[in-house]
Amino acid sequence: MSSPIWHPFTQHALTPDATLVNCGEGAWLETEKGRLLDAISSWWVVTHGHRHPKIVAAIKSQADALDQVIFAGFTHQPAEDVARALIEIAPHGLSRVFYSDSGSTSVEVALKMALGFWRNQNKARTRIIALEHAYHGDTVGTMSAGARGVYNAAYEPLLFDVVRLPFPQAGQEHQTLERLEAAAADAAALIVEPLIAGAGGMKIYPPALLHDMARICRRHGTLLIADEVMTGFGRTGTLFACQQAGVTPDILCLAKGLTGGSLPLAATLCSQEIFDAHYSTDRSRTFFHSSSFTANPIACAAARANLQIWRDEPVLERIAMLGEMQEARLARLRGRFENVRRLGTITAMDLKVSDPGYLASAAPDLIRFFHARGILLRPLGNTIYVMPPYCVTAEELDLVYNAIAEAAEKFP
Ligand SMILES: *Cc1c(COP(=O)(O)O)cnc(C)c1O
């Protein structure tokens, strides 16, 4: 019997039936067809590994106390604790936390906060500036800020215009900064993925450039939105990528790793100025945004446990070690791939093909190739990347990189 499910980013006419997964543990998934090494952290969300015991325990215990509650006019301890903890660890200067339930909604909230900030001061600044190759989610607002391509061509008539900055290629960074300088003065906000464009192909740019972009924004009063949905919680080697550039954004978007990747939860942090622009006895200045499951208590309990793990366990040391292990294995692949690169715990390399890009014909074959070898990898077009959970061992990484080396032979 075929399943009635319509899967995300899946062309069902070309893709074999979805693999049934029964359980997960550490870096592994147990499927109906055997074990799979989860080398992409189940789409970039699982940080410490599947089913970290402290997160599982927190979820169980919260489920026994309060499952869900309306969040307008009501609050609960897990949400209060997580908000305070986030403000403590986030770049200094962020003082308010707005909850939602996915990366996309955290970015929608950020864009709406930025627009409300200007409107409530009667200033006509509505333009959003974004980077080439950006990905900020799959809702209409976040697609608008994201790069245009085959995956959103059908929705193009609904997308709003943004000022698009050229991606800061090595040697051409000045073009990015000049375009920003020209557009910033009357724009509402610049939104960036700090240090690495993820879904856009794991394209990396240096902290100095993020620092320069932040400086230009500051000078023109343009709000800076840091979309750390992917980069947050250690992926780039520091807790947040912004820290490497010494930058405090006006708005910070967090999701994927916030609960250690166990449950959907997102948070949008903002500066006091943005909150204050909405603070008024005039009810028309209210921040009009909500989702039914805003700050779900079980998800917040999972996030609270995750933040406790960051305090109790040597996570940053583990991440530094993982970076070194990745680097050593990557070195063997230089020459076999193009643009072999690493940022923190993330590595990426481009397969030389005649049709590069998201629809590169090699991509589905590569996915099957790795799957057959017990490895979950899901190249972005001809870009193969490895983004494992932090618990992954050297031996497990060898399995991943041996398969990639084999792929280099098989897919010339
Ligand atoms: C994944 C991602 C999003 C969207 O998050 P969802 O939880 O999938 O909606 C937004 N921004 C970035 C940078 C992402 O990597």
Side-chain angles (χ1 to χ4, degrees):
M1 189 196 72
S2 87
S3 165
I5 296 173
W6 192 343
H7 287 268
F9 269 78
T10 299
Q11 178 43 269
H12 282 271
L14 296 172
T15 314
D17 285 346
T19 304
L20 188 71
V21 180
N22 294 314
C23 59
E25 169 125 33
W28 293 90
L29 297 169
E30 301 274 354
T31 84
E32 57 182 337
K33 295 173 196 152
R35 271 159 45 102
L36 267 185
L37 180 52
D38 187 355
I40 59 163
S41 299
S42 280
W43 251 353
W44 320 351
V45 300
V46 174
T47 49
H48 314 294
H50 288 273
R51 287 197 305 110
H52 189 292
K54 287 178 191 150
I55 295 177
V56 173
I59 290 170
K60 286 180 175 167
S61 123
Q62 184 59 37
D64 273 336
L66 177 66
D67 50 356
Q68 162 65 13
V69 67
I70 177 173
F71 206 61
F74 294 86
T75 190
H76 49 79
Q77 207 55 50
E80 294 293 337
D81 293 345
V82 170
R84 279 189 183 81
L86 285 177
I87 285 165
E88 218 165 273
I89 60 176
H92 188 70
L94 298 167
S95 64
R96 290 280 167 174
V97 178
F98 192 96
Y99 286 109
S100 63
D101 31 38
S102 74
S104 298
T105 56
S106 77
V107 174
E108 291 283 349
V109 163
L111 296 172
K112 287 173 71 172
M113 280 179 176
L115 271 282
F117 172 78
W118 292 112
R119 184 185 161 93
N120 287 344
Q121 301 175 78
N122 299 314
K123 294 197 178 132
R125 292 177 71 156
T126 57
R127 183 74 75 175
I128 300 295
I129 309 173
L131 279 176
E132 188 188 4
H133 303 306
Y135 177 80
H136 296 293
D138 279 331
T139 53
V140 170
T142 58
M143 278 194 295
S144 300
R148 306 301 158 88
V150 62
Y151 33 82
N152 52 32
Y155 327 113
E156 183 80 36
L158 296 184
L159 305 185
F160 56 76
D161 276 339
V162 301
V163 174
R164 189 72 62 191
L165 305 182
F167 190 82
Q169 309 276 7
Q172 291 163 37
E173 294 94 342
H174 62 282
Q175 293 180 7
T176 310
L177 298 176
E178 281 160 17
R179 185 93 177 87
L180 174 60
E181 186 72 57
D186 56 359
L190 164 68
I191 180 165
V192 297
E193 292 161 272
L195 307 190
I196 180 167
M202 300 298 164
K203 295 180 165 63
I204 300 169
Y205 63 91
L209 204 88
L210 177 59
H211 190 267
D212 288 345
M213 289 194 287
R215 191 173 39 78
I216 293 172
C217 285
R218 192 72 65 210
R219 183 143 40 76
H220 293 285
T222 312
L223 298 176
L224 175 63
I225 303 172
D227 176 355
E228 293 233 22
V229 169
M230 179 192 88
T231 52
F233 296 98
R235 286 290 172 204
T236 69
T238 44
L239 181 56
F240 301 112
C242 280
Q243 293 170 324
Q244 294 182 40
V247 160
T248 294
D250 300 282
I251 306 179
L252 174 69
C253 304
L254 302 174
K256 293 184 171 121
L258 174 54
T259 59
S262 62
L263 285 174
L265 182 72
T268 308
L269 279 65
C270 74
S271 66
Q272 193 61 32
E273 289 74 25
I274 293 172
F275 179 81
D276 287 345
H278 294 81
Y279 188 82
S280 167
T281 51
D282 174 358
R283 288 168 66 197
S284 73
R285 291 188 179 200
T286 305
F287 186 54
F288 291 108
H289 190 95
S290 155
S291 39
S292 306
F293 288 101
T294 300
N296 172 265
I298 301 174
C300 285
R304 183 170 60 185
N306 171 46
L307 295 171
Q308 194 62 44
I309 289 166
W310 275 88
R311 280 190 289 268
D312 293 346
E313 298 184 16
V315 186
L316 280 174
E317 284 87 334
R318 203 173 287 154
I319 285 169
M321 240 171 56
L322 172 54
E324 283 169 27
M325 294 195 295
Q326 292 260 69
E327 186 68 39
R329 284 156 185 79
L330 205 54
R332 301 204 296 261
L333 298 175
R334 282 182 211 281
R336 303 205 211 178
F337 292 92
E338 288 175 320
N339 305 317
V340 175
R341 54 202 185 271
R342 178 178 74 91
L343 177 63
T345 70
I346 306 166
T347 62
M349 62 223 86
D350 302 337
L351 190 67
K352 296 169 194 163
V353 294
S354 56
D355 60 342
Y358 190 78
L359 292 187
S361 56
D365 296 337
L366 281 166
I367 293 173
R368 273 192 288 273
F369 172 86
F370 291 123
H371 195 142
R373 277 153 190 77
I375 314 284
L376 171 52
L377 281 175
R378 200 185 151 88
L380 291 156
N382 59 314
T383 299
I384 299 172
Y385 68 91
V386 184
M387 197 191 297
Y390 307 152
C391 64
V392 76
T393 64
E395 294 70 34
E396 288 162 349
L397 280 181
D398 283 336
L399 299 176
V400 176
Y401 284 89
N402 289 342
I404 294 175
E406 215 187 308
E409 306 295 319
K410 185 128 193 268
F411 297 84

